[in-house]
Amino acid sequence: VQHLTPPEDADEDTRAGADWLLQLVADLNESVTKMTPSAWEYELSTQIGPMIHNKFDGLDDQTADLLFKFFQNYGKLVSITAQDCARAAAASPPTGVLPIKPDQPLAEWALRHVFHQRPELTYISLAVESTNDIDVALRVAASS
């Protein structure tokens, strides 16, 4: 968050705005391990975005773009953190659930778990983001 620190010659409004943003980021950092990517998207669009817009009405385009990029990258951090938390939970699952292998994609482990827990399932609808997701699903289905 060093780039949110105002320069030495910044005016009082700029300093106050930077302090506010630093506090916002500190508050977000407190809850990042509890957030899911969808919760982050919701929070950004319904809370953070409007709050920043109201706080910094009349923001110049360059600063607005910088803030947008910062919070977009922060969203990536939320995704990575959520995946890390899920992977940690999958590494030490409850009794009867196979643990995730170190190199196994999280989605593959989850799909294998569903097939293991519910062998009577014959159809599963999946949301895929890439052809790799389809390959993983087919590989899991073929081995289950």
Side-chain angles (χ1 to χ4, degrees):
V1 292
Q2 283 295 343
H3 56 279
L4 296 178
T5 305
E8 292 294 322
D9 60 347
D11 61 42
E12 189 57 37
D13 284 343
T14 302
R15 289 186 176 289
D19 288 344
W20 185 85
L21 281 172
L22 287 169
Q23 184 60 52
L24 173 64
V25 170
D27 293 346
L28 289 171
N29 286 342
E30 294 270 326
S31 62
V32 73
T33 59
K34 300 172 193 110
M35 259 189 250
T36 63
S38 58
W40 166 252
E41 292 292 329
Y42 181 78
E43 183 84 7
L44 184 60
S45 64
T46 63
Q47 303 294 318
I48 297 169
M51 189 169 42
I52 290 173
H53 179 73
N54 290 336
K55 181 75 174 171
F56 300 105
D57 191 30
L59 207 59
D60 65 272
D61 289 344
Q62 182 181 4
T63 306
D65 187 48
L66 179 65
L67 283 174
F68 174 78
K69 287 178 182 174
F70 175 82
F71 285 108
Q72 188 176 39
N73 285 330
Y74 198 90
K76 292 176 184 173
L77 171 68
V78 169
S79 291
I80 290 168
T81 302
Q83 288 177 21
D84 288 348
C85 290
R87 184 168 278 291
S92 302
T95 304
V97 178
L98 296 174
I100 193 168
K101 298 172 187 165
D103 60 340
Q104 187 176 29
L106 195 54
E108 180 180 331
W109 173 82
L111 190 55
R112 282 188 193 283
H113 174 67
V114 168
F115 279 127
H116 179 70
Q117 293 294 107
R118 303 282 309 271
E120 74 277 9
L121 291 178
T122 54
Y123 297 100
I124 296 177
S125 294
L126 301 174
V128 296
E129 294 180 1
S130 70
T131 55
N132 185 54
D133 293 344
I134 296 168
D135 293 338
V136 167
L138 292 173
R139 187 172 59 245
V140 170
S143 68
S144 296

